[in-house]
Amino acid sequence: MGSREVDGGLHVALIMDGNGRWAEARGLPRSEGHRRGADVVDSIVEAAPDAGVRILTLYAFSSDNWNRPRREVSLLMSLFRTYLRKERRRCAREGVRVTIVGRRDRLSAAVLREVDRTESATRDGDVLHLRLCVDYSSRDRLLDAAERYAASEARGRDAYARCLGEAGGEDTGAPAVDLLVRTGGEHRLSDFMLWESAYAEIRFLDVMWPEFDVAELQSSVAWFHGRERRFGRTPTR
Ligand code: IPE
Ligand code: IPE
Ligand code: MG
């Protein structure tokens, strides 16, 4: 497949945090928070194109999340598999191209099968590019890209971004993030999109991910449009 990207809209990246605390605050098991969180993903993906989003990058499972209890990891993987199986037809129909970003060699055969089917069923989607980050570590990807860059002849940031794309198995390079939103009240990046977010507008919300909704997405995009992105220059006013 050639290199291409969905044009004419924002690249929004979401750190979907707070599932566990949302559940615990209600006396529910953490698993219930993850289930509710997965339902929220459906509605956000559906609303994203109308909100002006053309690339949506979701942090679903970090490489450090393998250090959670085995049962929680299994549940997260099974929710991920179910999400792909359930949503792939709708995504294909609605022009949503789904790709998975992250290491694949530690995913189970069952998960990988759904990943492959989903990526090929949705490969022609040009309304929204949905990038699901699973077993994702930005630092590991930067290291991998550095090795590729050292072995290549091209120089400069664009060349490095291409290496970063290749390091993640992507044909789209490493698109710069316009707007990064983290739910769950923490003010940190947790090893997410460190290069791509160099000039991202960053928004930290106290709302837990299971309570994030389309209105929050829309107000985040509106907040983004109210920022002046100076990229190092002096203000224009
Ligand atoms: C985000 O919610 C989902 C994943 C990290 C997989 P958490 O599970 O981190 O929820 P909190 O932060 O413990 O509330
Ligand atoms: C970041 O959340 C990863 C995802 C949302 C998938 P974490 O809950 O794992 O991050 P920390 O541990 O609070 O930094
Ligand atoms: Mg968390």
Side-chain angles (χ1 to χ4, degrees), residues 15-17 59-62 65 68 182 186 188 190:
I15 301 177
M16 309 184 289
D17 194 29
Y59 204 5
F61 188 87
S62 75
N65 289 150
R68 293 189 177 199
R182 180 176 187 140
E186 307 294 359
R188 56 181 174 247
S190 303

Side-chain angles (χ1 to χ4, degrees), residues 145-186:
E147 286 177 17
R148 290 167 192 268
Y149 186 73
S152 76
E153 291 193 347
R155 284 290 165 265
R157 289 176 185 164
D158 289 347
Y160 185 78
R162 280 194 295 278
C163 293
L164 205 51
E166 285 164 22
E170 297 194 272
D171 63 5
T172 50
V177 173
D178 296 307
L179 167 64
L180 172 63
V181 180
R182 180 176 187 140
T183 60
E186 307 294 359

Side-chain angles (χ1 to χ4, degrees), residues 180-207:
L180 172 63
V181 180
R182 180 176 187 140
T183 60
E186 307 294 359
H187 294 206
R188 56 181 174 247
L189 295 177
S190 303
D191 205 5
F192 187 57
M193 300 283 140
L194 301 179
W195 169 281
E196 295 90 327
S197 297
Y199 272 101
E201 301 295 333
I202 305 185
R203 199 167 199 230
F204 296 104
L205 298 177
D206 287 333
V207 65

